[in-house]
PDB file of all heavy atoms in Angstrom:
ATOM      1  N   PHE A 800       8.504-120.658  -9.100  1.00 54.00           N
ATOM      2  CA  PHE A 800       9.674-121.515  -8.895  1.00 54.00           C
ATOM      3  C   PHE A 800      10.212-122.025 -10.223  1.00 54.00           C
ATOM      4  O   PHE A 800       9.495-122.099 -11.223  1.00 54.00           O
ATOM      5  CB  PHE A 800       9.309-122.681  -7.971  1.00 54.00           C
ATOM      6  CG  PHE A 800       9.175-122.269  -6.528  1.00 54.00           C
ATOM      7  CD1 PHE A 800       7.931-122.029  -5.973  1.00 54.00           C
ATOM      8  CD2 PHE A 800      10.315-122.118  -5.752  1.00 54.00           C
ATOM      9  CE1 PHE A 800       7.826-121.655  -4.650  1.00 54.00           C
ATOM     10  CE2 PHE A 800      10.196-121.745  -4.435  1.00 54.00           C
ATOM     11  CZ  PHE A 800       8.957-121.489  -3.878  1.00 54.00           C
ATOM     12  N   ARG A 801      11.456-122.429 -10.204  1.00 58.00           N
ATOM     13  CA  ARG A 801      12.095-122.985 -11.392  1.00 58.00           C
ATOM     14  C   ARG A 801      11.343-124.258 -11.836  1.00 58.00           C
ATOM     15  O   ARG A 801      11.000-125.103 -11.033  1.00 58.00           O
ATOM     16  CB  ARG A 801      13.555-123.324 -11.070  1.00 58.00           C
ATOM     17  CG  ARG A 801      14.361-123.774 -12.302  1.00 58.00           C
ATOM     18  CD  ARG A 801      15.762-124.194 -11.876  1.00 58.00           C
ATOM     19  NE  ARG A 801      16.468-123.114 -11.250  1.00 58.00           N
ATOM     20  CZ  ARG A 801      17.145-122.186 -11.909  1.00 58.00           C
ATOM     21  NH1 ARG A 801      17.176-122.207 -13.207  1.00 58.00           N
ATOM     22  NH2 ARG A 801      17.774-121.235 -11.266  1.00 58.00           N
ATOM     23  N   GLY A 802      11.175-124.411 -13.094  1.00 58.00           N
ATOM     24  CA  GLY A 802      10.507-125.579 -13.648  1.00 58.00           C
ATOM     25  C   GLY A 802       9.052-125.326 -13.970  1.00 58.00           C
ATOM     26  O   GLY A 802       8.403-126.156 -14.601  1.00 58.00           O
ATOM     27  N   THR A 803       8.535-124.218 -13.546  1.00 59.00           N
ATOM     28  CA  THR A 803       7.138-123.906 -13.852  1.00 59.00           C
ATOM     29  C   THR A 803       7.073-123.103 -15.140  1.00 59.00           C
ATOM     30  O   THR A 803       8.082-122.568 -15.627  1.00 59.00           O
ATOM     31  CB  THR A 803       6.496-123.091 -12.709  1.00 59.00           C
ATOM     32  OG1 THR A 803       7.148-121.820 -12.646  1.00 59.00           O
ATOM     33  CG2 THR A 803       6.638-123.825 -11.394  1.00 59.00           C
ATOM     34  N   LYS A 804       5.888-122.991 -15.658  1.00 60.00           N
ATOM     35  CA  LYS A 804       5.697-122.218 -16.887  1.00 60.00           C
ATOM     36  C   LYS A 804       5.496-120.729 -16.614  1.00 60.00           C
ATOM     37  O   LYS A 804       5.519-119.907 -17.538  1.00 60.00           O
ATOM     38  CB  LYS A 804       4.484-122.761 -17.650  1.00 60.00           C
ATOM     39  CG  LYS A 804       4.665-124.164 -18.203  1.00 60.00           C
ATOM     40  CD  LYS A 804       3.445-124.599 -18.970  1.00 60.00           C
ATOM     41  CE  LYS A 804       3.618-126.014 -19.541  1.00 60.00           C
ATOM     42  NZ  LYS A 804       2.437-126.462 -20.323  1.00 60.00           N
ATOM     43  N   PHE A 805       5.242-120.377 -15.354  1.00 58.00           N
ATOM     44  CA  PHE A 805       4.957-118.968 -15.035  1.00 58.00           C
ATOM     45  C   PHE A 805       6.225-118.121 -15.127  1.00 58.00           C
ATOM     46  O   PHE A 805       7.271-118.505 -14.606  1.00 58.00           O
ATOM     47  CB  PHE A 805       4.368-118.859 -13.633  1.00 58.00           C
ATOM     48  CG  PHE A 805       4.200-117.414 -13.202  1.00 58.00           C
ATOM     49  CD1 PHE A 805       3.138-116.649 -13.712  1.00 58.00           C
ATOM     50  CD2 PHE A 805       5.101-116.825 -12.341  1.00 58.00           C
ATOM     51  CE1 PHE A 805       2.996-115.330 -13.312  1.00 58.00           C
ATOM     52  CE2 PHE A 805       4.939-115.503 -11.957  1.00 58.00           C
ATOM     53  CZ  PHE A 805       3.896-114.749 -12.434  1.00 58.00           C
ATOM     54  N   GLN A 806       6.121-116.953 -15.760  1.00 61.00           N
ATOM     55  CA  GLN A 806       7.212-115.983 -15.818  1.00 61.00           C
ATOM     56  C   GLN A 806       6.689-114.655 -15.250  1.00 61.00           C
ATOM     57  O   GLN A 806       5.699-114.094 -15.747  1.00 61.00           O
ATOM     58  CB  GLN A 806       7.678-115.781 -17.254  1.00 61.00           C
ATOM     59  CG  GLN A 806       8.342-117.001 -17.852  1.00 61.00           C
ATOM     60  CD  GLN A 806       9.650-117.321 -17.157  1.00 61.00           C
ATOM     61  OE1 GLN A 806      10.349-116.416 -16.697  1.00 61.00           O
ATOM     62  NE2 GLN A 806       9.974-118.605 -17.067  1.00 61.00           N
ATOM     63  N   PRO A 807       7.326-114.154 -14.224  1.00 60.00           N
ATOM     64  CA  PRO A 807       6.888-112.846 -13.664  1.00 60.00           C
ATOM     65  C   PRO A 807       6.985-111.761 -14.727  1.00 60.00           C
ATOM     66  O   PRO A 807       7.876-111.782 -15.593  1.00 60.00           O
ATOM     67  CB  PRO A 807       7.875-112.594 -12.538  1.00 60.00           C
ATOM     68  CG  PRO A 807       8.442-113.927 -12.212  1.00 60.00           C
ATOM     69  CD  PRO A 807       8.462-114.699 -13.507  1.00 60.00           C
ATOM     70  N   PRO A 808       6.075-110.790 -14.696  1.00 62.00           N
ATOM     71  CA  PRO A 808       6.127-109.699 -15.704  1.00 62.00           C
ATOM     72  C   PRO A 808       7.383-108.850 -15.523  1.00 62.00           C
ATOM     73  O   PRO A 808       7.843-108.617 -14.412  1.00 62.00           O
ATOM     74  CB  PRO A 808       4.861-108.905 -15.417  1.00 62.00           C
ATOM     75  CG  PRO A 808       4.548-109.181 -13.992  1.00 62.00           C
ATOM     76  CD  PRO A 808       4.961-110.599 -13.723  1.00 62.00           C
ATOM     77  N   LYS A 809       7.929-108.408 -16.633  1.00 61.00           N
ATOM     78  CA  LYS A 809       9.102-107.539 -16.548  1.00 61.00           C
ATOM     79  C   LYS A 809       8.682-106.137 -16.081  1.00 61.00           C
ATOM     80  O   LYS A 809       7.675-105.601 -16.539  1.00 61.00           O
ATOM     81  CB  LYS A 809       9.775-107.442 -17.911  1.00 61.00           C
ATOM     82  CG  LYS A 809      10.399-108.747 -18.388  1.00 61.00           C
ATOM     83  CD  LYS A 809      11.113-108.545 -19.692  1.00 61.00           C
ATOM     84  CE  LYS A 809      11.764-109.854 -20.153  1.00 61.00           C
ATOM     85  NZ  LYS A 809      12.473-109.665 -21.440  1.00 61.00           N
ATOM     86  N   PRO A 810       9.477-105.556 -15.179  1.00 56.00           N
ATOM     87  CA  PRO A 810       9.130-104.187 -14.712  1.00 56.00           C
ATOM     88  C   PRO A 810       9.257-103.193 -15.856  1.00 56.00           C
ATOM     89  O   PRO A 810      10.110-103.333 -16.730  1.00 56.00           O
ATOM     90  CB  PRO A 810      10.161-103.923 -13.614  1.00 56.00           C
ATOM     91  CG  PRO A 810      11.300-104.822 -13.918  1.00 56.00           C
ATOM     92  CD  PRO A 810      10.706-106.070 -14.546  1.00 56.00           C
ATOM     93  N   ALA A 811       8.408-102.184 -15.811  1.00 57.00           N
ATOM     94  CA  ALA A 811       8.446-101.146 -16.844  1.00 57.00           C
ATOM     95  C   ALA A 811       9.729-100.339 -16.707  1.00 57.00           C
ATOM     96  O   ALA A 811      10.250-100.107 -15.619  1.00 57.00           O
ATOM     97  CB  ALA A 811       7.233-100.229 -16.696  1.00 57.00           C
ATOM     98  N   ALA A 812      10.243 -99.931 -17.846  1.00 56.00           N
ATOM     99  CA  ALA A 812      11.451 -99.096 -17.824  1.00 56.00           C
ATOM    100  C   ALA A 812      11.129 -97.752 -17.171  1.00 56.00           C
ATOM    101  O   ALA A 812      10.044 -97.188 -17.388  1.00 56.00           O
ATOM    102  CB  ALA A 812      11.952 -98.896 -19.242  1.00 56.00           C
ATOM    103  N   PRO A 813      12.024 -97.232 -16.332  1.00 58.00           N
ATOM    104  CA  PRO A 813      11.748 -95.941 -15.660  1.00 58.00           C
ATOM    105  C   PRO A 813      11.620 -94.812 -16.680  1.00 58.00           C
ATOM    106  O   PRO A 813      12.303 -94.801 -17.707  1.00 58.00           O
ATOM    107  CB  PRO A 813      12.964 -95.756 -14.763  1.00 58.00           C
ATOM    108  CG  PRO A 813      14.049 -96.562 -15.394  1.00 58.00           C
ATOM    109  CD  PRO A 813      13.363 -97.755 -16.006  1.00 58.00           C
ATOM    110  N   VAL A 814      10.713 -93.883 -16.373  1.00 64.00           N
ATOM    111  CA  VAL A 814      10.525 -92.714 -17.223  1.00 64.00           C
ATOM    112  C   VAL A 814      11.570 -91.680 -16.848  1.00 64.00           C
ATOM    113  O   VAL A 814      11.584 -91.164 -15.736  1.00 64.00           O
ATOM    114  CB  VAL A 814       9.112 -92.123 -17.052  1.00 64.00           C
ATOM    115  CG1 VAL A 814       8.957 -90.873 -17.909  1.00 64.00           C
ATOM    116  CG2 VAL A 814       8.072 -93.159 -17.394  1.00 64.00           C
ATOM    117  N   LEU A 815      12.485 -91.383 -17.752  1.00 79.00           N
ATOM    118  CA  LEU A 815      13.558 -90.428 -17.489  1.00 79.00           C
ATOM    119  C   LEU A 815      13.383 -89.214 -18.400  1.00 79.00           C
ATOM    120  O   LEU A 815      13.618 -89.301 -19.602  1.00 79.00           O
ATOM    121  CB  LEU A 815      14.919 -91.070 -17.738  1.00 79.00           C
ATOM    122  CG  LEU A 815      15.307 -92.223 -16.801  1.00 79.00           C
ATOM    123  CD1 LEU A 815      16.666 -92.785 -17.209  1.00 79.00           C
ATOM    124  CD2 LEU A 815      15.339 -91.776 -15.361  1.00 79.00           C
ATOM    125  N   ASP A 816      12.944 -88.111 -17.805  1.00 82.00           N
ATOM    126  CA  ASP A 816      12.825 -86.847 -18.554  1.00 82.00           C
ATOM    127  C   ASP A 816      13.893 -85.895 -18.012  1.00 82.00           C
ATOM    128  O   ASP A 816      13.606 -84.845 -17.455  1.00 82.00           O
ATOM    129  CB  ASP A 816      11.423 -86.262 -18.389  1.00 82.00           C
ATOM    130  CG  ASP A 816      11.128 -85.177 -19.408  1.00 82.00           C
ATOM    131  OD1 ASP A 816      12.033 -84.859 -20.208  1.00 82.00           O
ATOM    132  OD2 ASP A 816      10.020 -84.619 -19.390  1.00 82.00           O
TER     133      ASP A 816
END
Side-chain angles (χ1 to χ4, degrees):
F800 285 99
R801 186 184 300 275
T803 66
K804 293 182 180 181
F805 174 76
Q806 293 294 328
K809 293 184 179 180
V814 178
L815 295 178
D816 195 358

